[in-house]
């Protein structure tokens, strides 16, 4: 098969270039090539450059990052400055079981449709499996794009795992900041097939004739179709169950660090406990605020908290009241007194699972809790009761040095400084 002839076709160049805009690309021959001779991340600057780079690196397959950047520069890719991210479900199988992959894709697509995500979904046959992808513009701009994509994938896979298990294929959660996947109309790295895209309504028509290089069937530009913010309602549900980590123990936990989500949770719980003295409600408040700040508007670098309300379904508003706790507006369950985001009450046992247990992997939780209460108590009451001052003066200075500055700190007034 003449690879250059394939990549020189107008539709192939056009589709690869259009899809890869603002994405960091990788070219595969016998190894991956991700930088040019000057050490800059590879990218396509024009349609013709697709062929030029394929020739230069003797490449067979073209990949691009799932994340998009405002501009593909070394600083941006090294700093994970992603401005949007394409959620995707990687359905993996062998070529002789391609029909099983299609069935699994149908399960995921059907679930997404029930959740109101339909116009932004497309499929890509990857060679020995299929991707179900969601256009990145379907994610509201006020969410961290990587976290949003990960939460969606986690949530959907939890809800569809039983059906998919019956089909007998594997669907991987591969969301991470540097993840690459195959671009449309690229050659597979081993098989003489090309990766084609098509809309969900064509799933039941797909067959392997579509991916033959000389006569492929591809829906041009389908990856650019979307409805803005279409995933919003799905995200509201996914947030309740999101675990800000991948499978297994995080690398930062192995290396003796505690994640920001857990730091926010324990510090907010200690804040409530110092002010109001109810341990169970403190746990509920701590987890509630950890979730809120992970998803609040302007989440990310340079974020400072702004007032914001979580959308609540009309049918459950009667079960809660909006209260002001330490300068923060939060919904409270009328019956239990615990706090709520979306349609889920944050209970003390939820805090134990998401905050306490994960901190305990690194350090005894009782030691961390006592140290955090002591740390929070060192601040004036007016700081603890002010949303912005608490974030900037109490949480921000220790979020990445929790063990050093709080748990294992030296005694004395200057223990929390610098």
């Amino acid at each position: 098969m003449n690879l250059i002839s394939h990549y020189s076709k107008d539709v192939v160049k056009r589709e690869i270039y259009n899809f890869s805009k603002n994405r960091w690309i990788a070219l595969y021959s016998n190894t991956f090539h991700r930088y040019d001779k000057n050490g800059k991340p590879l990218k396509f600057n024009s349609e013709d450059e697709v062929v030029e780079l394929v020739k230069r690196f003797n490449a067979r397959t073209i990949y691009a990052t799932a994340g998009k950047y405002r501009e593909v520069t070394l600083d941006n890719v090294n700093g994970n400055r992603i401005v949007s991210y394409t959620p995707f479900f990687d359905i993996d199988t062998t070529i002789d079981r391609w029909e099983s992959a299609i069935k699994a894709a149908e399960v995921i697509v059907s679930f997404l449709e029930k959740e109101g995500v339909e116009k932004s979904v497309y499929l890509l046959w990857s060679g020995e499996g299929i991707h179900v992808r969601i256009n990145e513009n379907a994610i509201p701009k006020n969410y961290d794009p990587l976290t949003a994509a990960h939460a969606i994938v986690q949530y959907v896979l939890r809800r569809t795992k039983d059906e998919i298990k019956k089909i007998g294929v594997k669907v991987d959660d591969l969301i991470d900041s540097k993840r690459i996947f195959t671009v449309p109309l690229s050659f597979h790295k081993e098989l003489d097939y090309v990766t084609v895209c098509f809309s969900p309504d064509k799933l039941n028509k797909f067959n392997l004739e579509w991916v033959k290089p000389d006569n492929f069937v591809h829906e041009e530009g389908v990856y650019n179709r979307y409805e803005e913010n279409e995933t919003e309602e799905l995200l509201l549900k996914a947030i309740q169950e999101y675990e800000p980590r991948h499978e297994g123990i995080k690398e930062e936990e192995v290396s003796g660090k505690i994640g920001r989500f857990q730091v926010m949770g324990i510090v907010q719980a200690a804040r409530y406990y110092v002010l109001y003295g109810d341990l169970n409600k403190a746990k509920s408040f701590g987890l509630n605020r950890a979730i809120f700040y992970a998803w609040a508007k302007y989440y990310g670098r340079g974020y400072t908290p702004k007032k914001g309300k979580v959308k609540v379904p009309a049918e459950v508003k009667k079960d809660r009241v909006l209260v002001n706790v330490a300068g923060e507006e939060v919904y409270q369950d009328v019956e239990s007194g615990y706090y709520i985001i979306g349609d889920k009450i944050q209970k003390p046992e939820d805090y134990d699972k998401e905050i306490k247990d994960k901190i305990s992997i690194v350090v005894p939780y009782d030691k961390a809790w006592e140290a955090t209460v002591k740390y929070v108590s060192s601040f004036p009451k007016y700081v603890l009761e002010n949303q912005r001052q608490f974030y900037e003066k109490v949480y921000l200075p220790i979020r990445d040095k929790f063990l050093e500055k709080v748990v294992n700190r030296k005694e004395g007034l200057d223990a929390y400084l610098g």
Side-chain angles (χ1 to χ4, degrees), residues 239-242 244 261-270 272 279-295 330 339-341 344-356 358:
I239 184 179
Q240 308 306 315
E241 301 178 9
Y242 178 55
F261 185 89
Q262 285 70 40
V263 173
M264 175 61 83
I266 193 173
V267 174
Q268 289 279 14
Y272 188 102
L279 182 58
N280 283 333
K281 287 185 179 178
K283 288 184 174 182
S284 175
F285 182 79
L287 179 58
N288 180 284
R289 293 295 85 189
I291 294 172
F292 175 82
Y293 279 89
W295 289 85
V330 58
Y339 299 99
I340 308 170
I341 284 182
K344 185 174 181 180
I345 299 171
Q346 283 73 58
K347 300 177 181 179
E349 55 264 35
D350 298 325
Y351 174 94
D352 289 346
K353 177 182 177 182
E354 299 300 330
I355 307 297
K356 180 180 178 179
K358 290 179 172 59

Side-chain angles (χ1 to χ4, degrees), residues 21 23 75 84 141 152 206 292 301 375 402:
K21 287 178 181 177
R23 298 182 193 265
D75 286 343
S84 62
K141 300 301 182 186
I152 289 171
F206 175 83
F292 175 82
R301 288 177 177 76
Y375 168 69
F402 179 70

Side-chain angles (χ1 to χ4, degrees), residues 161-289:
K161 65 180 181 180
D162 290 339
E163 287 186 76
I164 291 172
K165 186 177 181 180
K166 292 177 183 177
I167 297 170
V169 298
K170 184 180 179 182
V171 184
D172 292 317
D173 169 6
L174 299 177
I175 305 299
D176 61 53
S177 61
K178 293 295 196 301
R179 178 61 54 184
I180 59 175
F181 51 25
T182 320
V183 304
L185 297 184
S186 169
F187 255 86
H188 184 264
K189 64 179 180 179
E190 295 174 353
L191 303 175
D192 285 335
Y193 288 145
V194 297
T195 54
V196 299
C197 293
F198 51 96
S199 53
D201 61 352
K202 296 180 176 61
L203 252 177
N204 61 352
K205 301 176 183 178
F206 175 83
N207 62 73
L208 293 182
E209 294 295 316
W210 288 23
V211 297
K212 291 185 176 180
D214 294 331
N215 195 31
F216 55 79
V217 177
H218 169 78
E219 198 169 344
E220 188 171 354
V222 67
Y223 49 81
N224 278 331
R225 299 176 189 174
Y226 66 91
E227 181 177 297
E228 192 171 4
N229 301 334
E230 192 178 29
T231 64
E232 186 170 13
E233 294 301 321
L234 176 58
L235 277 174
L236 184 62
K237 297 177 182 180
I239 184 179
Q240 308 306 315
E241 301 178 9
Y242 178 55
E243 297 181 17
R245 61 185 179 87
H246 298 284
E247 292 182 2
I249 298 175
K250 293 171 67 174
E251 181 179 349
E252 65 184 18
E253 291 172 341
V254 174
S255 63
K257 295 182 181 179
I258 295 173
R260 290 181 178 181
F261 185 89
Q262 285 70 40
V263 173
M264 175 61 83
I266 193 173
V267 174
Q268 289 279 14
R271 173 194 190 190
Y272 188 102
Y273 185 76
V274 169
L275 289 173
Y276 309 112
D278 188 313
L279 182 58
N280 283 333
K281 287 185 179 178
K283 288 184 174 182
S284 175
F285 182 79
L287 179 58
N288 180 284
R289 293 295 85 189

Side-chain angles (χ1 to χ4, degrees), residues 398-418:
I398 55 92
R399 68 179 182 184
D400 294 320
K401 296 183 178 181
F402 179 70
L403 291 176
E404 175 186 339
K405 290 192 172 184
V406 178
V407 181
N408 300 321
R409 74 188 188 282
K410 297 177 180 178
E411 297 298 329
L413 185 62
D414 63 345
Y416 305 117
L417 303 179

Side-chain angles (χ1 to χ4, degrees), residues 28-250:
Y28 179 80
S29 50
N30 292 322
T31 186
F32 281 100
H33 304 277
R34 304 199 68 178
Y35 301 89
D36 65 17
K37 61 182 180 181
N38 297 315
K40 296 180 179 180
L42 288 174
K43 61 180 179 178
F44 292 127
N45 296 302
S46 68
E47 293 180 16
D48 290 336
E49 199 168 25
V50 172
V51 182
E52 291 174 15
L53 291 182
V54 166
K55 289 179 179 179
R56 183 187 307 172
F57 293 99
N58 192 28
R60 176 181 175 88
T61 309
I62 302 174
Y63 297 84
T65 51
K68 300 181 76 172
Y69 305 87
R70 197 174 307 281
E71 185 179 355
V72 181
T73 65
L74 192 59
D75 286 343
N76 284 346
V77 300
N78 286 344
N80 293 331
R81 298 188 183 120
I82 297 168
V83 296
S84 62
Y85 195 100
T86 307
F88 70 102
F89 304 85
D90 182 14
I91 302 170
D92 192 23
T93 186
T94 54
I95 196 65
D96 59 309
R97 300 196 66 234
W98 68 269
E99 291 175 303
S100 296
I102 294 297
K103 290 178 182 178
E106 288 173 343
V107 170
I108 293 173
V109 167
S110 177
F111 182 85
L112 289 171
E113 288 178 354
K114 291 176 183 177
E115 294 294 326
V117 182
E118 182 176 1
K119 298 178 181 178
S120 308
V121 178
Y122 67 97
L123 292 304
L124 178 140
W125 183 260
S126 60
E128 284 194 299
I130 191 168
H131 285 183
V132 179
R133 296 182 181 178
I134 303 173
N135 184 284
E136 55 280 355
N137 293 298
I139 295 178
K141 300 301 182 186
N142 58 331
Y143 291 123
D144 171 61
L146 179 60
T147 306
H150 196 199
I152 289 171
V153 171
Q154 279 189 355
Y155 183 84
V156 174
L157 289 183
R158 286 193 184 106
R159 295 301 188 279
T160 59
K161 65 180 181 180
D162 290 339
E163 287 186 76
I164 291 172
K165 186 177 181 180
K166 292 177 183 177
I167 297 170
V169 298
K170 184 180 179 182
V171 184
D172 292 317
D173 169 6
L174 299 177
I175 305 299
D176 61 53
S177 61
K178 293 295 196 301
R179 178 61 54 184
I180 59 175
F181 51 25
T182 320
V183 304
L185 297 184
S186 169
F187 255 86
H188 184 264
K189 64 179 180 179
E190 295 174 353
L191 303 175
D192 285 335
Y193 288 145
V194 297
T195 54
V196 299
C197 293
F198 51 96
S199 53
D201 61 352
K202 296 180 176 61
L203 252 177
N204 61 352
K205 301 176 183 178
F206 175 83
N207 62 73
L208 293 182
E209 294 295 316
W210 288 23
V211 297
K212 291 185 176 180
D214 294 331
N215 195 31
F216 55 79
V217 177
H218 169 78
E219 198 169 344
E220 188 171 354
V222 67
Y223 49 81
N224 278 331
R225 299 176 189 174
Y226 66 91
E227 181 177 297
E228 192 171 4
N229 301 334
E230 192 178 29
T231 64
E232 186 170 13
E233 294 301 321
L234 176 58
L235 277 174
L236 184 62
K237 297 177 182 180
I239 184 179
Q240 308 306 315
E241 301 178 9
Y242 178 55
E243 297 181 17
R245 61 185 179 87
H246 298 284
E247 292 182 2
I249 298 175
K250 293 171 67 174

